[in-house]
Amino acid sequence: MSISKLFVKVFNEDIFEHLEQDNYNSDLEDDFDGGNCSTVPDTRGPKLNELSVTKQMIIVKNWLEDKFQQIQTDSNEEIRRLYIDTEARIGPELAIFDVDYTTTVRVSSDRLALRSQGSFNTVRANCCVYGGRWMYEIHLHTKGVMQIGWASGTCAFNENSGVGDTKYSYGYDGSKQQVWHISTKKYGDKWQIGDIIGVTIDVDREVIEYYRNGRSMGIAFDKIQRGPGITFFPAISLGYTQGVQANFGNRPFAYPVAGFQPIMARPILKLRRANLLLDYLINLAGIFSHYNAQSSNLKSDSNCEMRVSTKKTVYCIFATMLIERFTNEVFDPYIIEDVLLTRISNMTTLAAEKENPHSVLKGLLSLFWNFMEADEIKFVLRKVVNALLGTFTHTVQGLDYEKHRQALSVLHCICLHEQSRKYLIESKLFKKHCLAFFLYIHPLEFYILADLLPDYMAWTQGIDGPKDKYLNVVEKVRKLTESLYIVQKDFLNTLMNNKDGSPESPSSRKLFLTKMRRYVIDLSMEQRPFHAFFFMQSSIQHPLDAPVALAFVSILIDQVRTLFKEELPSHVMEVNADFFMDGTFDYMHFDRVGGVLSHLRKVHRSDIDAHFGTERTQQIYDEDRNSIRANEVDTTLYLLGENINNMAVIGHAQGANNSTFTHFLNPRVPQNTDAAPGNSSSEASICELMDICILFYYSAGHKYIVKIAAVRDEIATLNEVLMETKYYREDIERKLMALEEHANVCMNENHQHVMSELRSKFSQRQNVFATRSISLARKQVWLRAVALSSHRRALFIWLLERTLRSLTCASLTGPLFSFVPEVYINTLPILLDTVMDFSHHDVRVQFEVSDSECSVNAAAEFLAMHSADTRIVLASCKDSLLQALGTLTCHKSGVRALERASKRAQAALVRALLRPYENRAWGQSNWLLLRFWLGEGYAFKDARQPSVWQGGSQPLNQGLCRSRSRNETHTGLLHNVAPANPSKHFQRLIGSKLYEDEPFATTFLNSVLSQLNWAFSEFILLLQEIQNTAQRQENTLFEPKQLKICSMCFELTVSLMRCLEMILTVAPDIVADESRANSDLLLNRICQLISQVLSRVTVPPGCFQFVVDMCSADLNAVTHFPIISAALGILLALLRNEMNSDVTPQKVTRISRAFLTDPSFQFATLEFALGEIRTPLLEQKEIPRGNFDPSTRPNIDPLTNDVRVPHINNSKRIRADPPIIKFALNDYPTHVSPDEIEDVRRLIENLRIKQSLLSDITLPSEDSLCPICCAKPITAVFTPCKHQSCSDCIMQHMMNSKVCFYCKTTIQTIETLDGTLIYSNLESGQTPVSEST
């Protein structure tokens, strides 16, 4: 058989045409019989036909050797010139990073990528130069502090000095825009993630120059040090967590500079050989693809099949011959990028690859998989993907995303090949966030945005530019990125292929979901307690950048929504609750809302059996036992681990055993990454993808949204400053003009200079804030168009709806609801904040939520119904429910949604909020109650603190503002500042609940008063400690923690007082109705507490006034206004009916008497609120007390035996230092109305009249005072111990305990002094345990 025609098809030459049979017959022997077995007729002469296939193959092999020898000969001259050009280089041929001065830098396996783990690490290359012109490139993975440049071999670096900090080193830092050589100077552009920095040195001209993305930034250094012994190494210093990828010529430069040589020489010979071999392999791939297409479309007879098989055998021999030589060249990254990747990019288009299942590219990839070793083709694919990723993550040049689209299209074409796709999913795309970066759109550079949006077109409310033009720019940017997003989603859809499974291998979708779940679980380690410890166990080397995470989770949500519509159009879009119980989804370290999974499996065995059936239940428990056995690992094995992490660290040898000690210290079930063969169920796979989206959003996806909202809030703050500046500037200019007109005769040059300077200062102030506003407006263009566009907002609304739908359906399973993963509940407040607040780019008092009304209503119904669900045990889930409710109550639409919820849900919410404040986190539920009250209470129209220096009578028009932690993460609801949205509906519900259930109301109010007493007592103790410390020492520095606790106690005190004000307003009969069992007790406690609060924070000046006068930034919340206004609100709520119905009181009512007769009450404490103290203060220790002798009639009240004390004779003024910061309600017109101030005046006058009706103010004798409260007379006796106290104190004590306050004996009865039985516990036979209300 002649292989001449086959040879021509592959090699494009006919070597057999010029050969003479006699020339090679003597050299070739036919060692194989039957070699001439082809049945295809050959037109050649008989001499060629006589040759066997083996001999013809030897001819081909020799011809290939001659070809390679000719390439060697043709390249000698170019190689010689290259050697001359690079003779000023010293070091190994392979240029890599070599020396690490601090041994805390992580390095990639090729020793070209770095990530710092220390404060300031310096690394240099393993080769240097002493003459000529050289360059290398640095691809930035981060944009923080780094110093890049050149350093001599004699330079010594440490954590305080890096490249540029020594005599013979030179560095550039783009984050600070400075160059460093002992001293610094301003230089260059501010670099961004994805930039490629070119670093050049011309030793002969003594010049160093830097390039950013191919554009020169000018000469950085001239007259550099040179001379004998001075060489220059490429070197870089990295700040903490900073990362780069270096290219010393290991790959083609992205931006080569003419005349400069790479540190590592270009592989000329390899390039020529690889190009030649790849030409032949592409021809061969086309032939194989043609045969594959024929075999799939045609049915041939056996003879035809034999002929085809014989030809394919020849082609396979050609392939083996070529691949053997190609593998010698292709492992060089330079060859992969410059030859292989270039050919693949030019070979086809994405559309053509989709249409043709037997394309040349697929044939080439199949050729590689069939004829190369598995490790070899995997290495090549990894390097190809790395090269494409480098192109894709490169900074966008101009307005063109074409290079990014092309790079992703090439990767997509490769992934259309089944075997390559499955390998990349399993072993590449989920490592080092590779897939996440491919699904992220890099933002436009700032100078491009500046061209798109000039200063005059920028718009915010403060600078007031053309809004329509501004929004047109936003739309233009959105359209620029739209085509790239379509390509990204199409690529993701290919990775989710569910039709390529077989009995031997799983489908791409199965592999994708398996790897994606593990990837998200590893990312979520950062969310857990002791996250640094957990994070070391994950496969993630460094956290995913927040913008990338947001883009990744958004496109995943879009994909799952599309899959639901396409594959399950009639299916309800929710996660089936069965997957939570049967172990289908693995949640690793996440608990369930009902507790730990193993415990739930034991407790709910019968429920699971009833739900799934006996057989399926047994299978679930068998799988669970197998998992437990797999987890039984000897923890002592951690001693075998050598490194704390499974990654190379320069300076530390990697041993054969590279297990991490943390894996053995906290073992977990090893995940079986081998998915089951075959395709996956559409329902199960789509539900799992949605489940992963929820996990991903909770773990990492939401973080950037909080930062985006921070940009909006900063713009809002700047708007207020600019409008304020504009107002004052116009006001002063108006006054100056009037002054100039009035005093034109007497104005001299000095006056005109002062006025000109004033105008200049105002203009300067306005320009500073306007410049910052314009900068943020440009940044917001990208945020509005891409990062958090209206499309992404719609995706998050959809995710919220589906999450709530899944939770609602899971709740219908009864006790099995406990199996719901905690993340479903914990993500609700974050999703609600995103939908109702953070996804809006303009600050308003109330946001428009018409597009999310259904999801908000569903959230209101679910949260109200489950606010105190006993199936939810996990503390974090309980807290998340309260946070989510807090988000709803911060918005008018959320409050209205709660009011539209079912009556059953509303009743559940009210009962949950009114539970006693013991043994639970009551601070947040109390805050929720206040959200229904804010806007109705006395001087309680705004949650923000008023300022004495704030001008005008209108509050600032600021919308919702949620505080954030330093890392911009989501925080709790107690830090919300939101506009008032009072709910009359819920106020009525709360009042009705308290009226209809007297024991419930008494228990709740008693707990509120107890917590109020605790919070205020702790607050006063801390104030006294601060005052004593400050008076003992000068320049005292207080512990921030102490000040924070003090401020927190103050805020809790005020919030509890506001809660008390609301209760007394919506349900006044709780204390006003004498027929209620505990009304007297509650009334006396309230009056006592309010009197104590007022006496402590008003007059005489004490520790409270001292701390207020300190003006400490950490105690800026501790002021007179919130606590005094809350106390006045409580008093007005108690006495409102009396003030309105009895204008001229003729008798002392029960409530007035309780307040006026309290030992701590003084009129001066009320007058302090008006800033006009007229009543002298009484010093209690100077007041004489009687001996309670009835025979002593003068000055003794005949009814109460209390000593009458005339005011004038026994009063004594208390002298104190005058306060620095004085208080009066009139100073806060933004928060207190004139009518409210008038109410205080009426309150004081009303109480004065009622005081005059009393037969003088009486104080009990010390011998008759209750030993518990030391305020009221003894009225009750306990049996059998015969101890005594006032009835109020002992009855309050009996609400919590049944033993004597003094001797702890079980109390059997309590009687008044006249023998009336008020309590009996005779059936009790032993001392009861203290009970909690």
Side-chain angles (χ1 to χ4, degrees):
M1 170 192 173
S2 172
I3 63 171
S4 174
K5 289 184 178 180
L6 306 183
F7 182 87
V8 171
K9 289 181 179 180
V10 176
F11 297 97
N12 299 322
E13 294 185 33
D14 190 355
I15 62 172
F16 296 99
E17 182 180 358
H18 306 290
L19 293 176
E20 294 183 2
Q21 190 73 25
D22 296 335
N23 292 339
Y24 51 74
N25 268 348
S26 58
D27 299 327
L28 301 176
E29 295 182 1
D30 191 356
D31 297 328
F32 300 96
D33 293 334
N36 190 11
C37 60
S38 176
T39 60
V40 180
D42 197 325
T43 58
R44 293 188 173 277
K47 290 185 178 181
L48 186 58
N49 288 335
E50 293 174 0
L51 289 176
S52 66
V53 174
T54 304
K55 290 181 179 180
Q56 293 179 67
M57 286 299 174
I58 294 175
I59 295 173
V60 173
K61 183 177 180 181
N62 292 336
W63 175 81
L64 268 179
E65 294 294 340
D66 292 341
K67 274 282 186 182
F68 275 37
Q69 187 61 42
Q70 185 61 43
I71 291 174
Q72 175 76 45
T73 304
D74 295 343
S75 304
N76 285 338
E77 180 60 26
E78 188 175 354
I79 293 173
R80 186 185 65 82
R81 289 197 304 269
L82 181 63
Y83 176 77
I84 294 173
D85 292 339
T86 59
E87 62 181 356
R89 176 187 183 277
I90 302 174
E93 180 181 347
L94 177 63
I96 55 175
F97 283 118
D98 184 34
V99 179
D100 172 26
Y101 293 94
T102 56
T103 69
T104 55
V105 178
R106 287 179 177 172
V107 187
S108 61
S109 57
D110 60 4
R111 301 178 76 85
L112 292 174
L114 305 175
R115 182 164 289 271
S116 172
Q117 298 297 306
S119 58
F120 201 57
N121 298 317
T122 301
V123 182
R124 71 177 186 182
N126 63 345
C127 52
C128 61
V129 298
Y130 59 87
R133 309 173 76 195
W134 304 89
M135 75 170 291
Y136 67 96
E137 287 183 341
I138 295 291
H139 189 177
L140 302 182
H141 293 169
T142 57
K143 60 179 181 179
V145 175
M146 294 177 277
Q147 292 172 204
I148 301 172
W150 304 87
S152 170
T154 61
C155 294
F157 301 108
N158 54 44
E159 291 194 354
N160 297 316
S161 65
V163 178
D165 297 327
T166 60
K167 183 177 180 181
Y168 296 111
S169 64
Y170 307 84
Y172 159 61
D173 184 352
S175 67
K176 299 177 180 177
Q177 293 179 264
Q178 291 179 332
V179 287
W180 300 75
H181 177 57
I182 303 177
S183 61
T184 66
K185 67 176 181 180
K186 201 74 174 175
Y187 174 82
D189 302 335
K190 191 173 185 65
W191 59 31
Q192 301 294 327
I193 296 175
D195 281 349
I196 293 178
I197 306 299
V199 188
T200 66
I201 184 171
D202 189 334
V203 182
D204 300 330
R205 291 178 54 219
E206 302 178 355
V207 168
I208 294 177
E209 188 173 359
Y210 293 90
Y211 293 77
R212 178 172 178 258
N213 300 325
R215 295 191 306 173
S216 172
M217 294 185 286
I219 294 176
F221 304 99
D222 54 6
K223 297 181 181 180
I224 61 176
Q225 298 284 339
R226 58 175 299 197
I230 299 179
T231 57
F232 296 94
F233 290 82
I236 181 170
S237 298
L238 303 172
Y240 181 62
T241 71
Q242 301 305 307
V244 298
Q245 173 86 27
N247 181 10
F248 300 114
N250 314 73
R251 305 181 308 280
F253 283 144
Y255 300 103
V257 180
F260 286 85
Q261 295 289 335
I263 299 295
M264 182 174 169
R266 183 169 173 263
I268 298 172
L269 193 59
K270 282 189 172 185
L271 284 170
R272 293 187 176 183
R273 290 200 296 249
N275 272 306
L276 180 67
L277 290 170
L278 195 56
D279 284 337
Y280 300 154
L281 287 171
I282 290 173
N283 292 338
L284 197 57
I287 295 170
F288 279 128
S289 298
H290 177 70
Y291 279 131
N292 291 336
Q294 280 186 335
S295 63
S296 62
N297 297 325
L298 298 177
K299 291 184 179 180
S300 304
D301 57 22
S302 58
N303 290 334
C304 181
E305 289 178 3
M306 184 178 295
R307 287 195 298 271
V308 172
S309 177
T310 304
K311 290 181 180 180
K312 288 184 70 175
T313 301
V314 174
Y315 287 132
C316 288
I317 297 173
F318 285 161
T320 304
M321 192 182 302
L322 293 172
I323 290 292
E324 182 182 358
R325 287 163 175 77
F326 188 66
T327 52
N328 295 331
E329 319 295 340
V330 78
F331 294 137
D332 189 332
Y334 201 106
I335 303 301
I336 292 175
E337 290 193 30
D338 195 52
V339 179
L340 180 60
L341 186 55
T342 302
R343 293 297 186 89
I344 291 175
S345 302
N346 299 329
M347 188 180 299
T348 184
T349 63
L350 180 58
E353 286 296 312
K354 286 184 175 181
E355 293 177 2
N356 186 4
H358 303 288
S359 65
V360 177
L361 176 58
K362 293 186 180 71
L364 181 64
L365 291 171
S366 297
L367 197 66
F368 288 160
W369 278 104
N370 290 328
F371 291 93
M372 294 174 70
E373 294 291 338
D375 291 341
E376 294 174 345
I377 178 60
K378 290 175 181 178
F379 174 84
V380 171
L381 283 176
R382 288 197 302 269
K383 293 299 180 182
V384 167
V385 173
N386 286 342
L388 292 171
L389 183 61
T391 302
F392 192 86
T393 56
H394 181 35
T395 307
V396 182
Q397 301 300 300
L399 296 173
D400 189 11
Y401 280 92
E402 185 59 26
K403 285 186 177 179
H404 298 72
R405 192 187 62 79
Q406 288 178 358
L408 188 57
S409 296
V410 171
L411 178 60
H412 193 173
C413 289
I414 294 173
C415 287
L416 288 173
H417 182 259
E418 180 182 330
Q419 198 170 358
S420 301
R421 174 175 66 248
K422 290 183 177 180
Y423 166 71
L424 291 176
I425 291 173
E426 194 167 12
S427 302
K428 176 59 184 175
L429 292 180
F430 289 98
K431 289 186 177 179
K432 299 182 180 178
H433 313 302
C434 181
L435 180 59
F437 284 120
F438 274 118
L439 299 179
Y440 171 63
I441 301 178
H442 203 284
L444 297 170
E445 286 211 69
F446 193 77
Y447 74 89
I448 299 174
L449 287 174
D451 293 338
L452 278 174
L453 190 73
D455 290 355
Y456 68 89
M457 286 176 59
W459 173 83
T460 66
Q461 292 178 346
I463 55 180
D464 196 24
K467 185 176 182 180
D468 55 341
K469 294 182 179 179
Y470 177 78
L471 295 179
N472 288 338
V473 174
V474 173
E475 181 64 18
K476 182 177 180 180
V477 172
R478 187 194 64 79
K479 290 181 178 179
L480 282 173
T481 60
E482 189 174 20
S483 60
L484 180 57
Y485 180 78
I486 293 172
V487 174
Q488 288 174 327
K489 190 178 177 187
D490 191 24
F491 171 61
L492 183 60
N493 191 55
T494 297
L495 298 180
M496 295 288 291
N497 191 321
N498 197 31
K499 299 178 181 179
D500 56 354
S502 68
E504 294 79 24
S505 66
S507 65
S508 298
R509 183 178 294 185
K510 271 190 176 181
L511 289 172
F512 182 91
L513 293 175
T514 301
K515 301 299 292 187
M516 187 71 205
R517 177 169 289 276
R518 178 55 192 266
Y519 175 76
V520 172
I521 289 293
D522 285 341
L523 282 177
S524 69
M525 295 293 185
E526 193 180 3
Q527 294 290 101
R528 310 305 298 167
F530 310 105
H531 65 83
F533 177 76
F534 280 100
F535 204 65
M536 288 189 294
Q537 299 184 81
S538 74
S539 61
I540 306 298
Q541 293 187 12
H542 53 272
L544 182 62
D545 293 335
V548 182
L550 176 60
F552 197 0
V553 74
S554 298
I555 199 169
L556 284 175
I557 297 170
D558 199 0
Q559 179 66 18
V560 73
R561 186 172 67 165
T562 302
L563 289 175
F564 261 121
K565 292 178 180 178
E566 293 178 354
E567 299 185 15
L568 301 171
S570 60
H571 192 276
V572 178
M573 297 185 192
E574 64 185 43
V575 179
N576 192 333
D578 290 355
F579 298 139
F580 301 148
M581 312 167 205
D582 63 6
T584 301
F585 299 161
D586 186 3
Y587 294 97
M588 299 287 286
H589 54 80
F590 286 110
D591 289 326
R592 309 305 173 100
V593 298
V596 181
L597 179 61
S598 58
H599 171 72
L600 293 176
R601 287 267 172 86
K602 295 177 183 177
V603 172
H604 295 287
R605 175 66 186 259
S606 59
D607 298 317
I608 297 175
D609 200 354
H611 185 78
F612 287 107
T614 306
E615 184 177 349
R616 176 62 180 139
T617 301
Q618 187 60 43
Q619 183 182 354
I620 293 171
Y621 279 81
D622 289 342
E623 293 173 355
D624 194 34
R625 279 192 291 271
N626 292 335
S627 298
I628 293 173
R629 292 194 193 99
N631 201 22
E632 292 175 354
V633 180
D634 185 2
T635 56
T636 60
L637 292 179
Y638 77 90
L639 296 172
L640 299 176
E642 292 186 5
N643 297 324
I644 192 169
N645 285 303
N646 248 351
M647 45 202 71
V649 178
I650 300 181
H652 293 280
Q654 287 286 94
N657 185 350
N658 57 5
S659 299
T660 62
F661 81 92
T662 52
H663 171 77
F664 298 109
L665 189 60
N666 188 15
R668 60 185 182 187
V669 181
Q671 293 300 297
N672 183 13
T673 56
D674 298 331
N679 298 326
S680 59
S681 162
S682 292
E683 179 185 357
S685 61
I686 297 175
C687 285
E688 182 168 11
L689 183 58
M690 182 174 166
D691 180 74
I692 290 171
C693 289
I694 295 171
L695 284 171
F696 196 1
Y697 186 80
Y698 172 72
S699 302
H702 72 278
K703 295 181 180 178
Y704 192 53
I705 297 178
V706 183
K707 295 183 179 181
I708 292 173
V711 174
R712 176 201 67 190
D713 295 342
E714 185 178 354
I715 290 176
T717 303
L718 290 170
N719 290 343
E720 292 182 359
V721 174
L722 285 168
M723 287 187 285
E724 178 187 347
T725 303
K726 181 180 178 182
Y727 169 79
Y728 284 119
R729 178 181 179 180
E730 292 175 351
D731 183 55
I732 290 179
E733 284 185 347
R734 195 164 46 247
K735 292 177 180 178
L736 288 175
M737 290 178 63
L739 181 63
E740 288 176 355
E741 292 174 0
H742 179 71
N744 193 27
V745 179
C746 61
M747 291 284 286
N748 55 32
E749 293 182 358
N750 291 332
H751 294 145
Q752 293 176 354
H753 174 71
V754 170
M755 294 180 181
S756 175
E757 188 174 356
L758 279 172
R759 293 191 181 98
S760 174
K761 292 293 184 184
F762 271 109
S763 298
Q764 183 179 0
R765 170 186 167 92
Q766 191 167 9
N767 290 337
V768 168
F769 292 114
T771 302
R772 178 60 179 166
S773 292
I774 291 171
S775 174
L776 291 175
R778 289 197 180 104
K779 185 175 182 179
Q780 216 179 34
V781 166
W782 180 260
L783 302 180
R784 290 172 183 266
V786 181
L788 194 53
S789 61
S790 57
H791 175 252
R792 285 189 179 174
R793 169 177 163 78
L795 292 176
F796 296 134
I797 294 173
W798 182 87
L799 183 64
L800 174 60
E801 291 175 351
R802 297 308 101 202
T803 304
L804 288 166
R805 174 71 186 178
S806 301
L807 286 169
T808 303
C809 292
S811 181
L812 300 178
T813 61
L816 295 181
F817 179 70
S818 301
F819 284 87
V820 172
E822 61 170 315
V823 68
Y824 276 70
I825 298 291
N826 291 341
T827 198
L828 287 180
I830 306 174
L831 271 172
L832 273 172
D833 271 325
T834 299
V835 170
M836 302 187 73
D837 176 19
F838 296 155
S839 57
H840 298 278
H841 295 285
D842 298 319
V843 170
R844 297 188 181 94
V845 176
Q846 294 294 338
F847 293 116
E848 176 62 38
V849 292
S850 57
D851 57 345
S852 59
E853 185 174 356
C854 292
S855 59
V856 172
N857 289 339
E861 179 71 22
F862 176 82
L863 293 171
M865 182 64 70
H866 296 80
S867 53
D869 196 326
T870 55
R871 296 173 296 179
I872 300 176
V873 176
L874 219 59
S876 63
C877 294
K878 294 179 179 180
D879 185 66
S880 294
L881 288 173
L882 290 174
Q883 288 192 35
L885 283 167
T887 298
L888 287 177
T889 56
C890 284
H891 301 268
K892 188 174 182 178
S893 57
V895 174
R896 299 298 169 260
L898 286 170
E899 292 175 348
R900 288 193 296 268
S902 64
K903 292 183 178 180
R904 182 163 166 254
Q906 291 177 0
L909 175 60
V910 170
R911 184 168 185 86
L913 294 178
L914 296 180
R915 287 178 298 158
Y917 282 3
E918 281 91 11
N919 302 321
R920 71 184 183 98
W922 54 267
Q924 293 180 334
S925 59
N926 188 78
W927 186 91
L928 283 174
L929 284 172
L930 297 190
R931 288 301 308 165
F932 296 134
W933 180 241
L934 179 62
E936 296 283 340
Y938 179 82
F940 195 43
K941 306 301 184 294
D942 196 328
R944 290 167 297 173
Q945 287 274 3
S947 172
V948 179
W949 299 277
Q950 178 182 325
S953 59
Q954 297 298 321
L956 297 175
N957 184 21
Q958 184 176 354
L960 176 67
C961 178
R962 181 187 290 278
S963 72
R964 299 165 184 86
S965 59
R966 291 181 180 178
N967 61 350
E968 298 290 348
T969 56
H970 190 272
T971 58
L973 58 85
L974 281 177
H975 305 285
N976 276 316
V977 176
N981 296 305
S983 174
K984 292 283 189 182
H985 177 75
F986 273 98
Q987 290 174 24
R988 287 193 296 271
L989 289 177
I990 292 169
S992 299
K993 178 63 180 174
L994 294 174
Y995 277 143
E996 70 187 24
D997 192 340
E998 194 276 334
F1000 182 83
T1002 301
T1003 305
F1004 173 70
L1005 261 181
N1006 182 62
S1007 67
V1008 171
L1009 293 171
S1010 298
Q1011 297 298 339
L1012 175 58
N1013 183 53
W1014 166 82
F1016 186 68
S1017 300
E1018 290 294 321
F1019 170 65
I1020 292 298
L1021 287 174
L1022 288 168
L1023 290 187
Q1024 291 172 345
E1025 185 177 341
I1026 292 171
Q1027 182 183 22
N1028 294 336
T1029 304
Q1031 289 177 342
R1032 286 196 306 265
Q1033 306 173 20
E1034 293 184 1
N1035 302 323
T1036 305
L1037 293 177
F1038 298 99
E1039 287 289 336
K1041 183 178 180 181
Q1042 180 188 22
L1043 300 180
K1044 186 176 181 180
I1045 294 173
C1046 180
S1047 181
M1048 181 192 70
C1049 289
F1050 178 75
E1051 291 176 359
L1052 290 176
T1053 299
V1054 174
S1055 67
L1056 288 165
M1057 292 174 68
R1058 287 296 184 184
C1059 176
L1060 191 58
E1061 177 193 11
M1062 180 186 71
I1063 294 169
L1064 294 175
T1065 303
V1066 301
D1069 288 346
I1070 290 178
V1071 295
D1073 186 357
E1074 295 184 62
S1075 63
R1076 293 179 72 92
N1078 296 287
S1079 61
D1080 286 338
L1081 171 64
L1082 294 174
L1083 176 61
N1084 290 327
R1085 287 197 70 189
I1086 292 170
C1087 293
Q1088 180 184 5
L1089 277 170
I1090 298 308
S1091 297
Q1092 287 286 345
V1093 168
L1094 287 173
S1095 65
R1096 287 286 193 171
V1097 302
T1098 56
V1099 288
C1103 57
F1104 187 88
Q1105 183 69 52
F1106 180 86
V1107 170
V1108 170
D1109 290 342
M1110 284 173 54
C1111 297
S1112 171
D1114 294 315
L1115 295 175
N1116 58 355
V1118 180
T1119 62
H1120 287 98
F1121 180 84
I1123 194 166
I1124 291 179
S1125 59
L1128 292 174
I1130 294 172
L1131 289 179
L1132 289 169
L1134 283 170
L1135 299 170
R1136 179 75 66 184
N1137 291 335
E1138 297 181 20
M1139 293 170 57
N1140 293 337
S1141 60
D1142 194 1
V1143 180
T1144 57
Q1146 301 297 320
K1147 63 178 181 178
V1148 179
T1149 61
R1150 172 171 158 271
I1151 297 177
S1152 298
R1153 180 178 179 83
F1155 189 67
L1156 290 171
T1157 57
D1158 187 88
S1160 301
F1161 170 73
Q1162 300 194 62
F1163 275 98
T1165 60
L1166 297 178
E1167 294 170 339
F1168 179 87
L1170 301 175
E1172 45 189 35
I1173 301 175
R1174 299 174 181 175
T1175 307
L1177 299 177
L1178 298 178
E1179 193 169 8
Q1180 300 294 333
K1181 65 181 181 180
E1182 299 296 332
I1183 301 175
R1185 297 187 181 273
N1187 58 8
F1188 214 72
D1189 183 2
S1191 63
T1192 312
R1193 289 301 174 189
N1195 300 324
I1196 298 296
D1197 191 307
L1199 297 177
T1200 63
N1201 284 338
D1202 289 343
V1203 181
R1204 298 175 180 171
V1205 182
H1207 288 292
I1208 300 175
N1209 296 337
N1210 295 297
S1211 64
K1212 181 178 180 181
R1213 290 188 176 272
I1214 299 176
R1215 299 181 179 273
D1217 295 332
I1220 298 174
I1221 298 179
K1222 298 182 179 180
F1223 175 79
L1225 289 174
N1226 287 319
D1227 294 334
Y1228 303 94
T1230 59
H1231 285 65
V1232 186
S1233 67
D1235 290 340
E1236 289 175 326
I1237 296 176
E1238 184 60 31
D1239 285 342
V1240 178
R1241 298 186 189 278
R1242 290 175 52 214
L1243 171 66
I1244 295 174
E1245 185 63 29
N1246 187 279
L1247 288 175
R1248 284 192 185 280
I1249 294 173
K1250 291 178 179 178
Q1251 184 195 42
S1252 65
L1253 297 176
L1254 294 174
S1255 57
D1256 296 327
I1257 298 178
T1258 61
L1259 290 173
S1261 167
E1262 288 185 356
D1263 297 332
S1264 64
L1265 287 178
C1266 168
I1268 298 177
C1269 65
C1270 299
K1272 294 182 174 62
I1274 293 173
T1275 57
V1277 180
F1278 326 147
T1279 57
C1281 60
K1282 300 300 181 180
H1283 284 113
Q1284 299 177 341
S1285 74
C1286 67
S1287 58
D1288 290 342
C1289 285
I1290 190 58
M1291 293 307 296
Q1292 178 184 337
H1293 173 70
M1294 293 297 289
M1295 296 177 72
N1296 299 309
S1297 177
K1298 306 302 181 186
V1299 297
C1300 176
F1301 183 84
Y1302 310 101
C1303 63
K1304 307 306 179 186
T1305 302
T1306 301
I1307 297 177
Q1308 296 180 359
T1309 61
I1310 301 176
E1311 299 178 354
T1312 61
L1313 296 179
D1314 59 3
T1316 304
L1317 184 68
I1318 60 176
Y1319 173 80
S1320 176
N1321 190 29
L1322 293 176
E1323 67 276 6
S1324 176
Q1326 58 182 4
T1327 303
V1329 182
S1330 177
E1331 297 177 359
S1332 175
T1333 58

